[in-house]
Amino acid sequence: MSSPLLAVSGLTKRYRRGGKTIAAVDDISFHIEPGETLALAGPSGSGKSTIARLVLRLIEPDAGHIEFEGGDFLSLNGAALRARRARLQMVFQDPLAAFNPRAMVARVLDDPLRTHGVASRPERTRRIAALLERVGLSADLAARAIHEVSGGQRQRIAIARAIATKPSLIVLDEAVSALDVSVRRQILQLLLDLQRQERIAYLFISHDLGVISAIAHRVVILDAGRVAESGNARAVIGAPQSAIGKALVAAAPKLNRTSQGAADRQ
Amino acid sequence: MSPLRRFLLAPEAIAGAIILVALFAMALTASLFFPGDPQAIAGPALLPPFQDWSLPLGTDRLGRDVLAELFHGARTSLVVGLAAAAAALAVGAIVGTLAGFAGGLVDEVLMRITDAFQTVPSFLLALAFVSVVGPSLGVVVTAIALGAWTGPARVARAEVLSIRERDFVAGARVIGMHPLEIAFREVLPNALPAVLALSSVIVAAAILTEAALSFLGLGDPNRVTWGGMIAEGRAVLRTAPFLSIIPGVALVLTVLGVYLAGEGVVETTAVRRSLS
Ligand SMILES: Nc1ncnc2c1ncn2[C@@H]1O[C@H](COP(=O)(O)OP(=O)(O)O)[C@@H](O)[C@H]1O
Ligand SMILES: [Mg+2]
């Protein structure tokens, strides 16, 4: 069997707070296969966002290894790291905060193309239009300012930006949590479509097991920086073993266990 | 209410704007109304104002046209004030952005340098610089900017420290953007409004410093300056006080105008709101 797309082992990040040290992420290990969705679930403060930031090298771990596409991701630096970032992208929770408040839609999508060496301007303009259409938006939107488009459109633009450099893995940190229900369903569908067509893997972070059951193949449930349980998303959500797993299931009343979630698609 | 309407409703802002418009008009029309050398002899020496309508503000000790000198002096004041302020704001914004964004040793070193410049009184710094290098327009501008960039640098650094924690900066890093591009293309433009809010005070101070240097004879000798006119008039202060009073009043009005108009702009645009 080939090596996984992302393999995280022994990942640890500690923060000092009020004189004592707390481990926000404590000896976490997991892996993601190409084209797979792994969900990170857990209550607020359980370390989900810290893991996302560690995996993206926005912060550095105190211990642990991260292997990405068969190479040691933590040993990359400078230009080599920046080049490799094309393959590992992110979508943030708040689609307004995720963009430069002064930016135009076109520039937001131009940045990754330009940064990763799509040199000719006409070619980039063509690709920007194609990206917008790819996420179900009109190409005319390119001429708008980012603060002029709706929240749902903005999150689609964030996804377009993330797929611009043809990544193999996208980290989504509460990417649909701020959206209202109907928009959320459309965005989840878009993510499923992209995954099916481009074989993109997702590290999908959410506190909402309902959303997770709709998109994830496997799930890791976190509690205070440690893994409480993990496994097939349908199995874990259907019959949680850990106390925190049971609590999260109980907190998601609208959870539809017979929905055609990603776990069923396997 | 739109910022423009609020600006027009503030009487002190309007007063400032009128003074500034007059000042710019003087500077721009100086060579139109007073072609030729303003330092050339134009009539009898020490002619009082309002005597001869071809020389409305009279003449100085050497018989030079005071009104012509006033117009050309406005030009010097504006050029030096704006250029020095622009240089100080640019240097301060760049240094502050680098320090705040890079952090660590770079921040430490840049802020020590900023401290060092701030410790020396800015007028002494300008005085020393011009004395050593010699007076010319460019040197005077540099000398004034040398003592004025530390304020903008501190403000820029403080803004950058908070902006760099925002999601869109993390987003730019995830894209793989070069750190210098993130600092200057993503972060700096968002820090700029707070830095630019300092410009009126810096321009006003630069104009005063220029006048003080010229008063001490350290201005560009080939240009008429209000500071130089005041110094000239000092020798005949008892017999012809108008020679010092006219450029002195012009200087006070200019500084007041710059300050009032600048405050008006800051007050009525989003700048102050985005600061809080
Ligand atoms: N920069 C930081 N400094 C100090 N503590 C932090 C920092 N970032 C996160 N933490 C702490 O780490 C823990 C996990 O936070 P986070 O990863 O944001 O949780 P989640 O995303 O699951 O809500 C929390 O207790 C949080 O207070
Ligand atoms: Mg979080």
Side-chain angles (χ1 to χ4, degrees):
Chain A
M1 190 188 139
S2 64
S3 62
L5 178 66
L6 179 81
V8 169
S9 60
L11 201 62
T12 301
K13 178 72 183 177
R14 300 184 195 91
Y15 286 113
R16 297 187 60 78
R17 201 165 41 192
K20 64 173 195 262
T21 308
I22 59 147
V25 172
D26 191 1
D27 193 20
I28 297 270
S29 303
F30 61 85
H31 65 94
I32 303 178
E33 301 296 332
E36 182 191 38
T37 299
L38 175 72
L40 288 182
S44 176
S46 56
K48 305 183 296 295
S49 295
T50 305
I51 292 176
R53 299 172 75 79
L54 287 166
V55 166
L56 290 157
R57 291 285 305 275
L58 289 170
I59 53 176
E60 297 301 315
D62 294 309
H65 297 280
I66 299 176
E67 198 147 301
F68 177 61
E69 291 188 328
D72 181 356
F73 194 54
L74 290 177
S75 70
L76 292 178
N77 273 310
L81 175 61
R82 291 199 300 276
R84 180 46 63 101
R85 285 186 182 284
R87 305 285 295 160
L88 175 47
Q89 282 298 306
M90 171 163 200
V91 175
F92 292 84
Q93 168 170 8
D94 179 354
L96 188 54
F99 296 120
N100 190 328
R102 314 169 147 257
M104 307 292 285
V105 172
R107 203 192 109 188
V108 155
L109 298 177
D110 192 48
D111 284 340
L113 298 172
R114 191 174 37 80
T115 302
H116 292 285
V118 181
S120 93
R121 187 173 278 276
E123 168 67 8
R124 295 208 303 267
T125 308
R126 201 185 59 71
R127 290 244 214 136
I128 289 167
L131 280 170
L132 284 171
E133 275 158 18
R134 188 80 190 72
V135 297
L137 295 173
S138 154
D140 302 337
L141 228 56
R144 299 257 208 99
I146 201 74
H147 62 81
E148 288 175 345
V149 304
S150 74
Q153 288 175 324
R154 221 176 270 138
Q155 203 58 307
R156 284 177 190 269
I157 292 164
I159 292 169
R161 173 161 150 131
I163 61 172
T165 52
K166 304 202 185 323
S168 58
L169 175 62
I170 301 180
V171 178
L172 301 110
D173 188 356
E174 305 276 9
V176 298
S177 305
L179 305 172
D180 64 42
V181 178
S182 65
V183 177
R184 174 184 304 175
R185 204 175 47 236
Q186 293 167 10
I187 297 285
L188 286 174
Q189 191 57 52
L190 171 64
L191 291 171
L192 288 171
D193 292 346
L194 287 172
Q195 182 167 64
R196 201 176 53 241
Q197 288 155 18
E198 323 265 345
R199 236 170 94 79
I200 304 173
Y202 297 133
L203 177 58
F204 189 92
I205 293 174
S206 180
H207 63 278
D208 182 344
L209 288 184
V211 169
I212 285 174
S213 71
I215 193 165
H217 302 105
R218 287 187 300 123
V219 63
V220 172
I221 295 185
L222 297 169
D223 185 15
R226 305 191 67 101
V227 176
E229 67 180 301
S230 66
N232 176 287
R234 191 158 79 137
V236 169
I237 294 169
Q241 302 300 307
S242 64
I244 199 80
K246 287 175 181 151
L248 285 174
V249 169
K254 283 180 294 178
L255 197 61
N256 183 355
R257 278 170 215 160
T258 59
S259 72
Q260 62 292 63
D264 299 277
R265 288 185 287 110
Q266 277 188 319
Chain B
M1 215 177 347
S2 76
L4 186 64
R5 283 208 45 201
R6 244 180 297 143
F7 185 89
L8 293 178
L9 287 177
E12 66 274 15
I14 297 183
I18 290 173
I19 295 172
L20 275 194
V21 168
L23 189 71
F24 271 96
M26 282 170 75
L28 290 174
T29 59
S31 343
L32 190 71
F33 291 141
F34 305 100
D37 185 1
Q39 292 178 310
I41 310 289
L46 289 175
L47 180 70
F50 314 124
Q51 304 279 311
D52 176 350
W53 287 111
S54 67
L55 297 165
L57 290 184
T59 58
D60 69 3
R61 254 182 340 146
L62 299 175
R64 296 179 292 206
D65 181 352
V66 171
L67 189 62
E69 288 190 290
L70 202 63
F71 268 60
H72 284 269
R75 181 177 280 189
T76 311
S77 284
L78 267 188
V79 165
V80 173
L82 292 179
L89 289 167
V91 171
I94 290 170
V95 170
T97 300
L98 280 178
F101 191 74
L105 189 65
V106 175
D107 186 23
E108 196 70 27
V109 170
L110 288 177
M111 289 329 281
R112 286 290 162 282
I113 295 173
T114 310
D115 284 343
F117 270 89
Q118 212 158 23
T119 318
V120 186
S122 55
F123 186 66
L124 280 188
L125 200 63
L127 208 61
F129 188 76
V130 178
S131 312
V132 171
V133 184
S136 76
L137 202 62
V139 171
V140 170
V141 167
T142 311
I144 296 171
L146 226 43
W149 62 273
T150 54
R154 282 184 191 288
V155 170
R157 176 174 176 274
E159 283 288 294
V160 166
L161 281 180
S162 86
I163 293 170
R164 73 168 189 182
E165 300 302 326
R166 287 171 50 187
D167 275 355
F168 74 86
V169 176
R173 288 177 65 197
V174 168
I175 289 293
M177 204 180 273
H178 195 281
L180 283 176
E181 186 179 352
I182 299 178
F184 288 109
R185 212 161 147 253
E186 302 284 323
V187 176
L188 176 57
N190 289 291
L192 220 45
V195 178
L196 290 181
L198 299 173
S199 32
S200 62
V201 174
I202 293 181
V203 171
I207 289 175
L208 277 179
T209 308
E210 187 279 329
L213 286 173
S214 303
F215 182 81
L216 295 179
L218 290 169
D220 186 332
N222 301 316
R223 283 176 172 267
V224 184
T225 64
W226 291 346
M229 290 169 73
I230 297 172
E232 274 281 308
R234 204 176 37 153
V236 287
L237 199 56
R238 296 243 174 117
T239 51
F242 69 92
L243 286 179
S244 297
I245 291 172
I246 289 171
V249 167
L251 191 61
V252 169
L253 282 178
T254 297
V255 169
L256 204 64
V258 169
Y259 179 76
L260 289 179
E263 283 299 287
V265 170
V266 171
E267 207 69 63
T268 54
T269 56
V271 174
R272 184 135 295 169
R273 258 171 289 144
S274 81
L275 275 179
S276 54

